[in-house]
Amino acid sequence: MTAPDTATRPLSPDVEQAEAAIVEHYPRLVRLAYLVLPPALGRNRRVLTAHSLVQRALPRGRRDVAAAVQGGVPGQRGGGGDAGYAYVRLRVLRAALEAGVPLTFRALPRRAQLPPALPQVWGLRLFPRSGGAEELALDQWLATLGGPGRAACVLRALERLPEAEVLRVLDEAGVADPAAAVAESGDPAHDALFASPEFDPCVLQARPTDLLRRRRLARAAVAAGAALAVCGALLALPGGGWGADGAAAPPYSRNAAAEQALDPGKLTRAAPTLWRTSSRTDFSAWPARGDRADDTGLLRRALAVWARPGSSVVVSATPATPAGPPMGPAQLLFAGAVDQAVVVLFYDGLRVVRYAEPRTGTTGAALDFARTDGASADTATALVVSRVDGNVRYLTAPWVTGAALRDLLKPGESPAALKLGPDGVTPPVPSPAPGGDCTGWNGLALTGDGATRLITDLGELTPARLTSGAPGAERDVTEAAELGDWSRIACLLPSVRSHGVRTVNAWTYAKQPLPEGDGAATWLCTRAETWQGTADRVQAQFLTPGAPLAAQAARSEGSQACGPREPRVLAGVLWKSRAGQWYVLAAGSAQFASLSVSGGGVNGAAKGNRLAVKAPAGAQVDLSGHLTDGTKAGSLR
């Protein structure tokens, strides 16, 4: 092993020279640090610390190197690489001597006295290969020396420096008595042993750490982490059980508009009498009601969950309703305790949003979205505020002065009056059953603003308004005949549940004498219009004398038939008379001038908007007609 040439002519190394010296002489520098470090550290920590000291010997910049050289770094003879080596060797020697100084409470620890940050090896113990008896004796003797003595041995034995140069380097490294260190450094006859593999920290052996102890520590760490997570969650929950943001997920973005939308103080609150003078009589005219309308904590949780619902939040939305965060400060409609939940209702101009959390506890939160764009006084009469155990409560509009419960299947019975609460909330009323036997269908008659409007629950946040009349001339269901028609078709309403329905209109578009004197049949068309306006559902119903319920003759989704844009409809059925004869019966609205049927062994035509032709059982036919202007039109399908 040949030592770099060092002598007396000054030369200023830079960072590149220092790095080159570390890379070129890395094994030698690490061996030097390993021998100078105190053996009490243990062989594994000495190895890692030696590598760390050498890697940290690189100066921070050119100025640091130049300043250090001017301050007394030994001069060099030869190339700039030797100057760089002398400089980093001095830095490694100083750090190794500092690492051997015991820690005390009287002074702050130096970096070299602390365990190395890098390199780190997990799960393995590293140490140099073992040498012979002479190397073992030398290592035991080195352990009896102090740091300066070991440094003097290394400079003489590894670096091959003369005694005068050793004294000067030790002085530069900060040794208080270099002469005593040189005197302590021992017999040069054993210097060759310093090159032994026993002291080479770059050629290492690996062994596992204590496996049982490591397993116990891992289990303890997992248990401590779980306990810390539970404690953190508990500390985040105040006395009421909910954190600042309730069941909301962590925030993922920050911007001014989003912050305003989540600020309860920015919520819009309509004046209590705004609906009397407002040009728009929809949800924007509703005042903020409820006994928790001023609960800032509740409103903050509701807005936070709306913006970023967590995994525990149950989210639902009517078709074509975006379920995203508010675009700006929303309007508060209601905040209060209803049944077993605390409910908040918001309106943002496009949607009504319902947030619900339990009165007690921290589990379970719900978020419901419903489109309400284009609402009017007729369709903004109520919102579902609670639905529990088959019962539903409504929050009525501020212009509603009275409410009554009506069973649509019993048109002759008077509706049962309901007492509204001070905030406009109705008592719990049975909700129509979504399936099974249709033995009753409840509707709510709401009186106010000069009209009585009939609504029913179709399983959504917004109830559907029920009307009667020809397309473009719909009216509220109040007359006995209109109530009678609805009693025969109400049980067909489950087919339009949960489709975002705004209104359902029933229209008696034709009456037809039945063949063989079996009475007169009624043809009805019901059109369920949705808030999105593109998925309206149309049905044609056929009602015979004495039948309790109407039969569905045809249905279509997205059709303009039976509506203001296309106020006509044509449908047909295969009907059996009392005598057992089958007929194809068809009827169209008043716009039809003639009807025709063909196929399935049937061929017939009739002037006017009604047709009756004998047919075999199970016949499949094509039905069409011509309008009064001569245009051909097909049947509803």
Side-chain angles (χ1 to χ4, degrees):
M1 191 178 295
T2 303
D5 185 23
T6 61
T8 58
R9 191 165 63 88
L11 205 151
S12 299
D14 59 13
V15 178
E16 287 79 7
Q17 292 174 339
E19 181 186 22
I22 292 176
V23 173
E24 181 180 358
H25 302 289
Y26 185 79
R28 186 183 192 86
L29 291 168
V30 176
R31 185 190 289 259
L32 183 150
Y34 179 80
L35 288 169
V36 175
L37 287 169
L41 292 177
R43 302 179 74 191
N44 179 72
R45 182 173 171 185
R46 282 172 70 193
V47 165
L48 298 178
T49 303
H51 283 272
S52 177
L53 295 181
V54 174
Q55 293 174 18
R56 294 207 308 261
L58 185 68
R60 295 182 182 275
R62 297 177 182 272
R63 294 180 180 178
D64 293 344
V65 179
V69 172
Q70 293 172 5
V73 175
Q76 306 298 320
R77 183 186 63 201
D82 295 338
Y85 175 79
Y87 175 70
V88 296
R89 180 183 65 190
L90 180 60
R91 288 176 62 89
V92 170
L93 188 62
R94 284 175 178 170
L97 290 172
E98 289 177 355
V101 178
L103 291 171
T104 64
F105 292 103
R106 298 179 179 180
L108 293 175
R110 299 181 181 180
R111 185 178 182 184
Q113 294 176 276
L114 301 174
L118 289 174
Q120 289 287 345
V121 179
W122 295 88
L124 290 175
R125 296 185 62 82
L126 304 177
F127 45 87
R129 293 180 297 177
S130 300
E134 293 181 343
E135 287 89 343
L136 178 61
L138 177 60
D139 189 39
Q140 292 175 346
W141 175 74
L142 285 174
T144 64
L145 302 181
R150 290 191 297 273
C153 289
V154 171
L155 291 175
R156 185 193 68 226
L158 282 182
E159 299 300 298
R160 306 291 184 180
L161 297 182
E163 182 175 335
E165 189 70 13
V166 170
L167 291 172
R168 189 179 58 77
V169 173
L170 289 176
D171 181 64
E172 292 292 338
V175 175
D177 192 351
V182 171
E184 189 185 14
S185 62
D187 187 357
H190 302 292
D191 286 355
L193 294 177
F194 283 88
S196 168
E198 174 83 19
F199 308 114
D200 188 358
C202 289
V203 180
L204 303 173
Q205 300 184 72
R207 293 292 185 271
T209 57
D210 189 335
L211 299 180
L212 290 177
R213 181 171 178 268
R214 190 171 68 191
R215 179 180 296 176
R216 289 194 295 268
L217 289 175
R219 290 174 178 172
V222 171
L228 183 62
V230 171
C231 292
L234 293 176
L235 288 174
L237 301 177
W242 290 90
D245 289 346
Y252 55 85
S253 65
R254 296 281 184 181
N255 59 67
E259 290 300 313
Q260 288 186 357
L262 299 179
D263 184 0
K266 301 290 186 180
L267 287 172
T268 302
R269 298 170 185 254
T273 59
L274 176 64
W275 64 272
R276 299 181 185 274
T277 57
S278 174
S279 59
R280 295 174 54 188
T281 313
D282 57 6
F283 295 105
S284 64
W286 282 31
R289 291 172 287 178
D291 58 357
R292 302 283 290 274
D294 296 323
D295 189 337
T296 303
L298 169 65
L299 299 179
R300 187 184 307 279
R301 289 194 300 273
L303 290 170
V305 172
W306 180 3
R308 42 181 211 283
S311 58
S312 64
V313 180
V314 179
V315 181
S316 67
T318 58
T321 302
M327 296 174 287
Q331 179 180 344
L332 177 63
L333 304 181
F334 178 85
V338 183
D339 296 325
Q340 302 303 316
V342 179
V343 178
V344 183
L345 292 175
F346 298 109
Y347 174 66
D348 67 353
L350 172 69
R351 305 165 293 176
V352 167
V353 182
R354 176 183 179 270
Y355 167 82
E357 69 180 34
R359 287 200 185 192
T360 59
T362 60
T363 58
L367 197 63
D368 304 315
F369 295 86
R371 281 186 65 166
T372 56
D373 48 322
S376 64
D378 293 326
T379 53
T381 55
L383 291 171
V384 172
V385 71
S386 173
R387 187 180 283 112
V388 179
D389 298 331
N391 294 323
V392 60
R393 287 179 185 263
Y394 299 91
L395 174 67
T396 58
W399 53 84
V400 172
T401 57
L405 182 65
R406 177 184 288 279
D407 188 347
L408 297 182
L409 300 189
K410 300 176 181 178
E413 294 186 1
S414 300
L418 300 175
K419 183 179 180 180
L420 299 178
D423 294 326
V425 178
T426 68
V429 297
S431 178
D437 296 335
C438 186
T439 58
W441 193 279
N442 289 326
L444 207 63
L446 301 179
T447 302
D449 197 27
T452 298
R453 302 172 178 91
L454 186 63
I455 64 172
T456 191
D457 178 24
L458 293 182
E460 299 175 352
L461 186 57
T462 54
R465 180 194 178 204
L466 305 182
T467 60
S468 293
E474 298 90 345
R475 58 187 179 273
D476 292 312
V477 181
T478 56
E479 300 295 331
E482 298 163 348
L483 291 171
D485 288 344
W486 267 108
S487 69
R488 315 288 282 279
I489 62 177
C491 288
L492 298 177
L493 285 173
S495 62
V496 296
R497 284 178 64 94
S498 303
H499 284 86
V501 174
R502 174 172 56 181
T503 61
V504 183
N505 182 63
W507 171 36
T508 300
Y509 68 88
K511 290 186 179 291
Q512 181 178 21
L514 295 174
E516 303 179 10
D518 284 353
T522 302
W523 291 87
L524 299 102
C525 175
T526 58
R527 180 179 180 87
E529 294 189 348
T530 61
W531 289 98
Q532 57 180 309
T534 57
D536 298 347
R537 298 194 167 207
V538 182
Q539 295 183 19
Q541 289 105 11
F542 178 69
L543 181 60
T544 58
L549 300 176
Q552 180 175 281
R555 60 181 298 177
S556 178
E557 182 175 348
S559 172
Q560 296 184 1
C562 198
R565 291 184 177 272
E566 192 175 303
R568 64 176 184 268
V569 63
L570 170 63
V573 296
L574 194 63
W575 173 79
K576 184 178 181 181
S577 68
R578 295 174 186 172
Q581 176 63 51
W582 288 94
Y583 289 85
V584 172
L585 301 182
S589 55
Q591 294 88 349
F592 283 87
S594 64
L595 304 178
S596 62
V597 62
S598 62
V602 180
N603 188 20
K607 290 187 176 182
N609 64 338
R610 295 172 297 186
L611 176 144
V613 179
K614 290 183 179 181
Q620 300 290 325
V621 301
D622 292 326
L623 177 65
S624 63
H626 285 82
L627 304 178
T628 54
D629 61 0
T631 304
K632 187 177 181 179
S635 62
L636 182 68
R637 62 181 65 229

